[in-house]
Amino acid sequence: MRTPLIAGNWKMNTTVSEAKELVHKILKVLDKIENVEKVICPPFVSLAAVAEILKYSSIKLGAQNMYFKDKGAYTGEVSPLMLADLCEYVIIGHSERRQYFNETDGLINKKVKAALEAGLKPILCIGEKLEENEAGKTEKVVSRQLYLALADMDRLSGTVIAYEPVWAIGSGRSATGEQANETIGFIRQKIANLYDRVTAQNLRILYGGSVTADNISEFVKQIEIDGALVGGASLQAEQFISIVRQTADIRSHLASG
Ligand code: PEP
């Protein structure tokens, strides 16, 4: 069985002191929850301070973005090498980066490759827009994004995929567990076609889009869904703890049953 993963994407929220405060609120309880990989992704400026707090804990750190070059004259950018010192994960291709910062599939491909080369585990985000969903184009869109993001890559190593329908992000309108399970099963099949069955079976694919403590169970009880990428709810300590705890409980129940 694949170990479930719950990742909190704090987006552009929290000052350094607020980030430290939030980590202190979740640390003790989350640290003790087993059988779920727990990852938090604070803003760049808080990574070093948060890494220090998490040093001896089971909670892992991720960044929300990176550039694909290792160093050089790229003012304002953060490189994979800089992150590899601090983090284990990095979110790549989030729909907000695609939408507001014009990130293309080609750029995302470069970033995924650079992350792996630096020893980081990319959390690659893919997902369709509302109009694409309504036009029945979900599978077409996610397979295109997948093929382009993974172009010329012969191994996935620790890559994680997050299926995040754009219409579900920050909207309070999540997909249903069944819808997400179906699309994630489709993505896994595409990975089997691109690579092989073992790679597809070992790959963790998360759902993301308005996940809360009230609906997490709907997703993690599904056979294809290996956890969640959580935005808004990860900024509330009790919500995030409850999401992780429910995931651990449901998964251990499924494993024993
Ligand atoms: C996200 O940021 O990836 C996300 C899914 O946000 P939210 O949970 O707020 O919809």
Side-chain angles (χ1 to χ4, degrees):
M1 240 184 144
R2 298 176 291 266
T3 305
L5 189 160
I6 300 290
N9 173 16
W10 293 6
K11 312 196 190 202
M12 198 177 70
N13 294 294
T14 67
T15 61
V16 178
S17 50
E18 286 166 348
K20 284 159 68 175
E21 200 183 315
L22 181 51
V23 181
H24 280 300
K25 276 190 191 157
I26 59 175
L27 179 63
K28 269 206 189 111
V29 188
L30 275 198
D31 192 27
K32 293 198 192 100
I33 303 179
E34 293 175 344
N35 303 319
V36 178
E37 204 173 343
K38 301 144 289 192
V39 180
I40 53 172
C41 306
F44 285 136
V45 293
S46 296
L47 286 175
V50 171
E52 193 56 33
I53 300 170
L54 296 182
K55 207 156 58 180
Y56 302 111
S57 83
S58 61
I59 304 166
K60 295 175 176 172
L61 196 57
Q64 299 174 17
N65 179 37
M66 53 163 236
Y67 195 49
F68 64 89
K69 297 275 191 181
D70 282 345
K71 60 180 176 178
Y74 305 100
T75 303
E77 291 296 321
V78 173
S79 91
L81 292 185
M82 296 169 187
L83 293 179
D85 248 11
L86 293 167
C87 304
E88 185 166 331
Y89 286 91
V90 58
I91 298 171
I92 292 180
H94 193 280
S95 68
E96 287 153 14
R97 302 244 21 120
R98 295 177 189 255
Q99 186 181 348
Y100 304 128
F101 303 98
N102 304 316
E103 289 204 6
T104 62
D105 291 304
L107 177 66
I108 290 162
N109 175 243
K110 286 183 178 153
K111 291 187 176 192
V112 174
K113 287 180 185 159
L116 286 176
E117 227 157 84
L120 291 160
K121 294 174 182 161
I123 301 176
L124 168 66
C125 301
I126 57 174
E128 82 286 0
K129 296 184 187 134
L130 182 61
E131 60 271 25
E132 293 165 334
N133 180 278
E134 287 173 347
K137 291 184 179 159
T138 298
E139 293 189 350
K140 201 171 154 194
V141 171
V142 296
S143 30
R144 192 192 66 232
Q145 290 174 334
L146 202 62
Y147 283 125
L148 294 172
L150 302 179
D152 308 316
M153 279 177 52
D154 52 15
R155 62 188 179 95
L156 289 182
S157 305
T159 303
V160 173
I161 291 177
Y163 166 58
E164 300 209 302
V166 179
W167 47 271
I169 297 177
S171 65
R173 177 189 165 192
S174 65
T176 65
E178 286 75 20
Q179 280 171 336
N181 193 55
E182 197 182 319
T183 306
I184 289 176
F186 171 81
I187 293 168
R188 200 177 299 288
Q189 186 52 52
K190 286 281 150 195
I191 292 292
N193 299 345
L194 262 177
Y195 296 89
D196 52 68
R197 243 174 55 86
V198 174
T199 304
Q201 281 313 315
N202 290 336
L203 175 72
R204 286 181 297 179
I205 312 180
L206 316 179
Y207 166 74
S210 297
V211 168
T212 64
D214 292 334
N215 65 16
I216 184 66
S217 61
E218 197 184 326
F219 299 104
V220 289
K221 71 181 186 201
Q222 305 286 341
I223 189 106
E224 296 289 354
I225 304 181
D226 302 314
L229 180 54
V230 184
S234 69
L235 291 165
Q236 295 166 46
E238 294 93 69
Q239 280 271 331
F240 195 61
I241 290 168
S242 171
I243 288 169
V244 174
R245 202 195 304 274
Q246 289 183 61
T247 303
D249 290 349
I250 291 168
R251 282 305 169 122
S252 63
H253 182 73
L254 289 178
S256 66

